[in-house]
């Protein structure tokens, strides 16, 4: 691969991967809102 | 009271369902082709700018509008938009949010059914031993529904019905019991399949397994930036268009999914997570599969030629042949991975297309979930049949153009205006930030109010008056000639050629050339007209005719000019099917509008004002 293609590809893909992982991680670790919330699977879980 | 008691099971499930809604065939088949045709690596610049100025704002608008309407028990755009402004017009603008989903699902489920069929054929080794022309021919045969090369009569129709039955069944299981479960399996599976194929693509070595180039040649070709292309408005319009299709904005399905959220629950972080997940699949995986593999085996010139027929052609006409080079076992695994990936990308989107119409029927007419799902399946079957039987006559393309392209832009423009200027950005911003688990940059207030609507107006205007050859340099209106694919060009039937009437007693040649041969293929008769192309290459065009009904007026080796009679007899021209498809789409829109009117009257009589 030529340098400009390689730099552009790595830079763009790195940005995309970082944002994707960061936002999904935040979704996973965010505290649930007090009941009644929108999700039924956690209805019996004590907060 | 509405019978609609749907709810999401978990937050991760919702984000995956939203990401699955966004991730579709376009991530793997459309994006790389668009990039190749629009400046290679430089395409990513307008693409990311469009993502930030158009994609993310529209995601926020649609998530916020959906959650707002959901507070009043609305789960489809006519009444979600009606709850944002009481003027009657918005309910009918909202019809786009049901119409697009149904019309797109009609042809989308058909493509989805191809993937099921191709998984089946990959597993059973149908493509083993076929050369490239035979694999391409297999796809053409498949689309010609009356012919079967596999022994299964009406195979395309059978797989379509199977696919539709599967969608209907999952939808009848509800959001948490059906859609969400499929997303939790489908999204990780498509990422795993994508990583496997990307690895195989990138590690291809010239001289091994029949490859003529390294896989990295493909990446090099795709990512080498041609910065001069950035001065061409065509590239910016293509990038904005790609963002539209890839995020599934302007459809109404995001609003529907978000309408099942409670007021205090986050939408900002969810929207970001789902949006970026789609970008990961598109930019990281989508760019590393079909282009590296196809350039590895076919070379750059051949792939450039093949991208001219679009990503679908490349995916279904070419990829099975390329996988064959990996030997019977690995080719079966690769085929299942590639078409499995497309299947999961497709089904998570088609399920999202089912939910707005179902939500409307459950909210307004108290239909049960199963009944609403069955109605969706029946309507899609009815609307899908013309795309199957008259695929080659252009019905599929008409659905894609009007419902899958133009409607999305029109609806997105109108919803952006409603949200920012009618509902008001002050209230709108409150909706976006209410319960947010992340802080949205304040710059987005300005972007949502001013930039996004302006960009949408530019995109719409670009589509409306797109000039021939995409030459935007000559702005003299008197010399402006519309592109065949511009909205005005389409309405004028530009590019339809000399066969301009629905019915005729003569069929006219649509291009110059010499009659190469008159031949029979799978019991169908064709006239092949060949001419020399601009680069000295032979360009052939096959016209189908029926010797029992048509009489040839020219024979082999005769020169033929555009507009000259090729054969006489009773002829139904392509334009008839095109106009009927448009009529069908308009009828569908009017029918949904009528249902919205009936629902509104019902609400008024019952004293339900919201």
């Amino acid at each position: 691969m030529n340098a400009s293609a390689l730099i552009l590809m790595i830079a763009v893909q790195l940005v995309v991967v970082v944002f994707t992982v960061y936002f999904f991680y935040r979704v996973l670790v965010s505290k649930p809102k007090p009941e009644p919330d929108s999700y039924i699977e956690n209805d019996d879980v004590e907060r | 009271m509405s019978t609609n008691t749907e709810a999401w099971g978990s937050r991760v499930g919702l984000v995956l369902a939203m990401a699955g809604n966004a991730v579709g065939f376009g991530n793997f088949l459309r994006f790389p082709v668009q990039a190749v045709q629009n400046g290679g690596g430089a395409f990513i610049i307008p693409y990311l700018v469009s993502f930030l100025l158009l994609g993310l704002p529209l995601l926020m608008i649609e998530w916020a509008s959906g959650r707002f309407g959901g507070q009043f028990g609305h789960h489809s755009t006519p009444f979600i938009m009606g709850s944002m402004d009481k003027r009657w017009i918005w309910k009918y603008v909202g019809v786009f949010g049901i119409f697009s989903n149904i019309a797109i699902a009609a042809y989308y489920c058909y493509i989805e059914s191809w993937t099921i069929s191709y998984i089946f054929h990959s597993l059973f080794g149908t493509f083993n031993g076929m050369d490239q022309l035979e694999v391409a021919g297999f796809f053409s045969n498949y689309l010609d529904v009356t012919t079967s090369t596999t022994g299964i009569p009406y195979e395309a129709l059978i797989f379509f019905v199977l696919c539709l039955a599967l969608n209907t069944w999952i939808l009848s299981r509800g959001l948490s019991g059906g859609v969400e479960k499929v997303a939790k399996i489908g999204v990780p599976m498509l990422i795993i399949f994508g990583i496997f194929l990307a690895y195989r693509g990138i590690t291809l070595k010239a001289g091994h397994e029949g490859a003529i180039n390294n896989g990295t040649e493909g990446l090099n070709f795709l990512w080498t930036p041609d910065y001069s292309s950035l001065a061409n408005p065509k590239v910016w319009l293509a990038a904005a268009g790609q963002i539209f299709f890839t995020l599934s904005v302007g459809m109404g399905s995001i609003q529907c999914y978000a309408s099942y959220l409670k007021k205090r629950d986050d939408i900002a972080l969810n929207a970001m997570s789902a949006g970026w997940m789609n970008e990961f699949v598109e930019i990281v995986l989508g760019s590393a599969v079909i282009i590296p593999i196809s350039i590895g085996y076919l070379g750059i010139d051949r792939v450039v030629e093949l991208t001219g027929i679009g990503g679908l052609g490349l995916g279904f006409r070419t990829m099975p042949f390329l996988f064959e080079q990996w030997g019977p076992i690995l080719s079966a695994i690769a085929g299942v991975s590639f078409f499995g990936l497309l299947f999961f990308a497709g089904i998570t989107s088609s399920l999202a297309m089912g939910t707005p119409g179902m939500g409307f029927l459950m909210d307004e007419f108290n239909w049960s979930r199963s009944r609403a799902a069955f109605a969706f399946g029946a309507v899609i079957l009815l609307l899908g049949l013309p795309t199957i039987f008259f695929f080659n006559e252009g019905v599929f393309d008409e659905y894609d153009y009007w419902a899958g392209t133009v409607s999305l832009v029109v609806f997105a423009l109108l919803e952006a205006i409603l949200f920012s200027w009618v509902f008001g950005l002050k209230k709108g911003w409150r909706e976006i930030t209410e319960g947010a688990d992340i802080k949205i940059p304040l710059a987005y207030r300005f972007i949502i109010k001013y930039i996004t609507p302006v960009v949408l107006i530019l995109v719409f205007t670009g589509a409306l008056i797109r000039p021939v050859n995409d030459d935007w340099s000559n702005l003299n209106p008197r010399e402006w000639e519309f592109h065949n694919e511009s909205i005005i060009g389409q309405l004028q039937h530009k590019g339809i050629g000399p066969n301009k009437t629905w019915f005729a007693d003569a069929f006219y040649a649509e291009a110059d050339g010499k009659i190469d041969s008159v031949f029979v293929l799978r019991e169908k008769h064709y006239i092949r007209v060949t001419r020399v192309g601009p680069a000295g290459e032979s360009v052939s065009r096959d016209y189908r005719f029926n010797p029992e009904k048509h009489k040839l007026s020219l024979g082999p080796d005769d020169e033929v000019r555009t507009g000259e009679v090729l054969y006489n007899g009773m002829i139904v021209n392509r334009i008839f099917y095109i106009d009927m498809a448009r009529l069908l789409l308009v009828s569908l829109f009017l029918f949904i509008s009528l249902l919205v009117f009936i629902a509104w009257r019902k609400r008024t009589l019952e004293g339900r004002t919201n």
Side-chain angles (χ1 to χ4, degrees), chain A residues 7-23:
Chain A
I7 292 167
L8 188 66
M9 185 183 83
I10 291 175
V12 169
Q13 295 199 344
L14 204 62
V15 169
V16 171
V17 169
V18 166
F19 274 109
T20 306
V21 171
Y22 170 72
F23 285 126

mmCIF file of all heavy atoms in Angstrom, chain A residues 7-23:
data_model
loop_
_atom_site.group_PDB
_atom_site.id
_atom_site.type_symbol
_atom_site.label_atom_id
_atom_site.label_comp_id
_atom_site.label_asym_id
_atom_site.label_seq_id
_atom_site.Cartn_x
_atom_site.Cartn_y
_atom_site.Cartn_z
ATOM 1 N N ILE A 7 -1.885 5.694 5.644
ATOM 2 C CA ILE A 7 -2.094 6.652 6.746
ATOM 3 C C ILE A 7 -3.578 6.990 6.876
ATOM 4 O O ILE A 7 -4.151 6.976 7.958
ATOM 5 C CB ILE A 7 -1.252 7.936 6.516
ATOM 6 C CG1 ILE A 7 0.233 7.601 6.648
ATOM 7 C CG2 ILE A 7 -1.650 9.047 7.479
ATOM 8 C CD1 ILE A 7 1.163 8.688 6.151
ATOM 9 N N LEU A 8 -4.205 7.263 5.716
ATOM 10 C CA LEU A 8 -5.632 7.625 5.747
ATOM 11 C C LEU A 8 -6.469 6.477 6.303
ATOM 12 O O LEU A 8 -7.325 6.674 7.174
ATOM 13 C CB LEU A 8 -6.094 7.978 4.334
ATOM 14 C CG LEU A 8 -7.503 8.547 4.213
ATOM 15 C CD1 LEU A 8 -7.585 9.912 4.886
ATOM 16 C CD2 LEU A 8 -7.912 8.682 2.749
ATOM 17 N N MET A 9 -6.190 5.268 5.836
ATOM 18 C CA MET A 9 -6.977 4.110 6.284
ATOM 19 C C MET A 9 -6.813 3.883 7.784
ATOM 20 O O MET A 9 -7.809 3.744 8.507
ATOM 21 C CB MET A 9 -6.537 2.852 5.524
ATOM 22 C CG MET A 9 -7.383 1.635 5.844
ATOM 23 S SD MET A 9 -6.812 0.152 5.025
ATOM 24 C CE MET A 9 -5.531 -0.374 6.131
ATOM 25 N N ILE A 10 -5.565 3.884 8.246
ATOM 26 C CA ILE A 10 -5.336 3.617 9.677
ATOM 27 C C ILE A 10 -5.949 4.721 10.533
ATOM 28 O O ILE A 10 -6.614 4.450 11.540
ATOM 29 C CB ILE A 10 -3.826 3.456 9.958
ATOM 30 C CG1 ILE A 10 -3.346 2.158 9.307
ATOM 31 C CG2 ILE A 10 -3.543 3.432 11.454
ATOM 32 C CD1 ILE A 10 -1.856 1.920 9.407
ATOM 33 N N ALA A 11 -5.769 5.975 10.113
ATOM 34 C CA ALA A 11 -6.301 7.090 10.910
ATOM 35 C C ALA A 11 -7.821 7.009 11.020
ATOM 36 O O ALA A 11 -8.392 7.084 12.119
ATOM 37 C CB ALA A 11 -5.873 8.416 10.287
ATOM 38 N N VAL A 12 -8.466 6.807 9.878
ATOM 39 C CA VAL A 12 -9.940 6.778 9.879
ATOM 40 C C VAL A 12 -10.443 5.571 10.669
ATOM 41 O O VAL A 12 -11.356 5.697 11.510
ATOM 42 C CB VAL A 12 -10.483 6.748 8.424
ATOM 43 C CG1 VAL A 12 -11.972 6.459 8.420
ATOM 44 C CG2 VAL A 12 -10.207 8.064 7.731
ATOM 45 N N GLN A 13 -9.856 4.419 10.424
ATOM 46 C CA GLN A 13 -10.348 3.211 11.105
ATOM 47 C C GLN A 13 -10.100 3.280 12.612
ATOM 48 O O GLN A 13 -10.924 2.814 13.397
ATOM 49 C CB GLN A 13 -9.702 1.970 10.490
ATOM 50 C CG GLN A 13 -10.141 1.814 9.025
ATOM 51 C CD GLN A 13 -9.945 0.433 8.467
ATOM 52 O OE1 GLN A 13 -9.225 -0.368 9.026
ATOM 53 N NE2 GLN A 13 -10.573 0.154 7.348
ATOM 54 N N LEU A 14 -8.983 3.895 12.971
ATOM 55 C CA LEU A 14 -8.691 4.034 14.399
ATOM 56 C C LEU A 14 -9.738 4.922 15.080
ATOM 57 O O LEU A 14 -10.267 4.582 16.150
ATOM 58 C CB LEU A 14 -7.288 4.649 14.572
ATOM 59 C CG LEU A 14 -6.582 4.354 15.881
ATOM 60 C CD1 LEU A 14 -6.335 2.866 16.032
ATOM 61 C CD2 LEU A 14 -5.249 5.105 15.954
ATOM 62 N N VAL A 15 -10.044 6.043 14.441
ATOM 63 C CA VAL A 15 -11.064 6.959 14.989
ATOM 64 C C VAL A 15 -12.391 6.223 15.150
ATOM 65 O O VAL A 15 -13.050 6.286 16.194
ATOM 66 C CB VAL A 15 -11.228 8.194 14.067
ATOM 67 C CG1 VAL A 15 -12.456 9.004 14.458
ATOM 68 C CG2 VAL A 15 -9.976 9.068 14.125
ATOM 69 N N VAL A 16 -12.765 5.496 14.108
ATOM 70 C CA VAL A 16 -14.067 4.805 14.133
ATOM 71 C C VAL A 16 -14.086 3.730 15.226
ATOM 72 O O VAL A 16 -15.057 3.624 15.984
ATOM 73 C CB VAL A 16 -14.374 4.190 12.735
ATOM 74 C CG1 VAL A 16 -15.601 3.298 12.799
ATOM 75 C CG2 VAL A 16 -14.596 5.290 11.720
ATOM 76 N N VAL A 17 -13.018 2.958 15.326
ATOM 77 C CA VAL A 17 -12.973 1.895 16.338
ATOM 78 C C VAL A 17 -13.012 2.502 17.746
ATOM 79 O O VAL A 17 -13.765 2.034 18.620
ATOM 80 C CB VAL A 17 -11.706 1.015 16.157
ATOM 81 C CG1 VAL A 17 -11.509 0.093 17.348
ATOM 82 C CG2 VAL A 17 -11.832 0.192 14.883
ATOM 83 N N VAL A 18 -12.244 3.566 17.957
ATOM 84 C CA VAL A 18 -12.210 4.186 19.294
ATOM 85 C C VAL A 18 -13.596 4.699 19.692
ATOM 86 O O VAL A 18 -14.081 4.422 20.796
ATOM 87 C CB VAL A 18 -11.160 5.330 19.332
ATOM 88 C CG1 VAL A 18 -11.342 6.193 20.569
ATOM 89 C CG2 VAL A 18 -9.755 4.745 19.294
ATOM 90 N N PHE A 19 -14.255 5.422 18.791
ATOM 91 C CA PHE A 19 -15.594 5.945 19.120
ATOM 92 C C PHE A 19 -16.593 4.805 19.345
ATOM 93 O O PHE A 19 -17.406 4.854 20.255
ATOM 94 C CB PHE A 19 -16.094 6.881 18.020
ATOM 95 C CG PHE A 19 -15.626 8.294 18.192
ATOM 96 C CD1 PHE A 19 -14.679 8.843 17.352
ATOM 97 C CD2 PHE A 19 -16.121 9.088 19.222
ATOM 98 C CE1 PHE A 19 -14.231 10.147 17.514
ATOM 99 C CE2 PHE A 19 -15.682 10.399 19.395
ATOM 100 C CZ PHE A 19 -14.736 10.936 18.545
ATOM 101 N N THR A 20 -16.510 3.789 18.497
ATOM 102 C CA THR A 20 -17.463 2.668 18.616
ATOM 103 C C THR A 20 -17.290 1.981 19.977
ATOM 104 O O THR A 20 -18.276 1.752 20.695
ATOM 105 C CB THR A 20 -17.240 1.641 17.482
ATOM 106 O OG1 THR A 20 -17.299 2.329 16.241
ATOM 107 C CG2 THR A 20 -18.286 0.546 17.502
ATOM 108 N N VAL A 21 -16.056 1.667 20.305
ATOM 109 C CA VAL A 21 -15.786 0.955 21.567
ATOM 110 C C VAL A 21 -16.154 1.850 22.751
ATOM 111 O O VAL A 21 -16.802 1.398 23.709
ATOM 112 C CB VAL A 21 -14.298 0.535 21.640
ATOM 113 C CG1 VAL A 21 -13.947 -0.002 23.015
ATOM 114 C CG2 VAL A 21 -14.016 -0.523 20.576
ATOM 115 N N TYR A 22 -15.773 3.128 22.665
ATOM 116 C CA TYR A 22 -16.040 4.045 23.786
ATOM 117 C C TYR A 22 -17.544 4.157 24.053
ATOM 118 O O TYR A 22 -17.981 3.985 25.197
ATOM 119 C CB TYR A 22 -15.451 5.429 23.481
ATOM 120 C CG TYR A 22 -15.878 6.484 24.471
ATOM 121 C CD1 TYR A 22 -15.363 6.484 25.773
ATOM 122 C CD2 TYR A 22 -16.804 7.465 24.124
ATOM 123 C CE1 TYR A 22 -15.775 7.442 26.686
ATOM 124 C CE2 TYR A 22 -17.214 8.423 25.044
ATOM 125 C CZ TYR A 22 -16.694 8.408 26.327
ATOM 126 O OH TYR A 22 -17.106 9.345 27.235
ATOM 127 N N PHE A 23 -18.328 4.411 23.020
ATOM 128 C CA PHE A 23 -19.765 4.606 23.246
ATOM 129 C C PHE A 23 -20.438 3.310 23.703
ATOM 130 O O PHE A 23 -21.313 3.328 24.574
ATOM 131 C CB PHE A 23 -20.448 5.145 21.983
ATOM 132 C CG PHE A 23 -20.156 6.606 21.738
ATOM 133 C CD1 PHE A 23 -19.644 7.042 20.530
ATOM 134 C CD2 PHE A 23 -20.405 7.556 22.727
ATOM 135 C CE1 PHE A 23 -19.364 8.386 20.304
ATOM 136 C CE2 PHE A 23 -20.133 8.905 22.509
ATOM 137 C CZ PHE A 23 -19.613 9.323 21.304
#
